[in-house]
Amino acid sequence: DARVTQTPRHKVTEMGQEVTMRCQPILGHNTVFWYRQTMMQGLELLAYFRNRAPLDDSGMPKDRFSAEMPDATLATLKIQPSEPRDSAVYFCASGLVLRQGLTDTQYFGPGTRLTVL
Amino acid sequence: AQSVTQLDSQVPVFEEAPVELRCNYSSSVSVYLFWYVQYPNQGLQLLLKYLSGSTLVKGINGFEAEFNKSQTSFHLRKPSVHISDTAEYFCAVSERTGRRALTFGSGTRLQVQP
């Protein structure tokens, strides 16, 4: 049963520290998304990649957040320096965009629960 | 740009009763429509999706939804709920072409009571 995996599942850190979250998309999927879930803002897109190229990162605070795909099996989301307002659950999702005008389902990982003290 | 409105933040219902969770959307382009469920401390799981074809879509766990283009709605229904259906339900849309990221509604908490 193919699944999106995310590590770590939980992370507690102090303000100012660097945080790295990792995601392994489902093998064969060509699109990866990062979403953030908070009580106040709900689920919002941070960034997404197609064939490892960033297509949209308009949802990310550029000064502190960065997202990369070093290879097709790994996506990373980094926060440096972290702030208490970054406390949230961060979800990675992957999908397969087959062709123009047709899209497949996005499959979500279990999330990384980040707490910044 | 798209937006999704889930009119009810919480829906309490008794076990074995029917339920409808409402979703309306707004978009300047054609969209795909989705319902996801989130159980406590878990990720999101797809319940069902509307891509094209029949406007009545059946999903997992006995859920179904109907796409109404004129009313820009995609309400989720289940004829008889179980305690295990207690969860948060999210309606979402994505563009048919171009930007494929999901735009989510604020969620509806379904609370099934015995």
Side-chain angles (χ1 to χ4, degrees), chain B residues 2-111:
Chain B
Q2 305 91 42
S3 66
V4 179
T5 302
Q6 292 184 244
L7 298 168
D8 305 300
S9 59
Q10 293 189 58
V11 173
V13 63
F14 289 107
E15 195 173 17
E16 297 184 6
V19 70
E20 178 180 83
L21 306 183
R22 296 180 291 171
C23 172
N24 288 88
Y25 70 94
S26 172
S27 178
S28 57
V29 299
S30 295
V31 295
Y32 297 121
L33 297 144
F34 306 83
W35 275 99
Y36 282 85
V37 60
Q38 185 178 30
Y39 299 103
N41 299 315
Q42 294 188 27
L44 282 79
Q45 180 184 4
L46 180 73
L47 274 180
L48 48 79
K49 59 186 176 183
Y50 174 76
L51 303 183
S52 64
S54 173
T55 56
L56 183 62
V57 180
K58 294 190 183 297
I60 62 171
N61 301 340
F63 283 92
E64 63 180 32
E66 186 157 19
F67 169 55
N68 187 319
K69 188 175 182 180
S70 62
Q71 297 186 3
T72 61
S73 67
F74 191 53
H75 300 333
L76 181 70
R77 303 187 187 97
K78 186 169 182 177
S80 175
V81 295
H82 302 130
I83 294 288
S84 60
D85 292 323
T86 295
E88 190 90 17
Y89 291 79
F90 293 92
C91 181
V93 302
S94 69
E95 292 182 11
R96 287 177 174 264
T97 60
R99 191 174 187 270
R100 302 300 183 90
L102 292 167
T103 299
F104 287 92
S106 55
T108 297
R109 172 77 177 162
L110 177 63
Q111 298 169 306

Side-chain angles (χ1 to χ4, degrees), chain A residues 9 33 35 37 43 45 48 50 56 58 91 97 99-110 113, chain B residues 32 34 36 38 41-46 49 51 90 94-105:
Chain A
R9 292 292 312 276
F33 303 83
Y35 294 93
Q37 185 177 33
L43 280 155
L45 177 75
Y48 85 98
R50 175 91 43 83
D56 186 346
S58 58
F91 288 106
V97 177
R99 63 176 185 267
Q100 193 77 2
L102 183 67
T103 188
D104 205 340
T105 305
Q106 290 184 29
Y107 295 88
F108 282 75
R113 183 174 296 275
Chain B
Y32 297 121
F34 306 83
Y36 282 85
Q38 185 178 30
N41 299 315
Q42 294 188 27
L44 282 79
Q45 180 184 4
L46 180 73
K49 59 186 176 183
L51 303 183
F90 293 92
S94 69
E95 292 182 11
R96 287 177 174 264
T97 60
R99 191 174 187 270
R100 302 300 183 90
L102 292 167
T103 299
F104 287 92

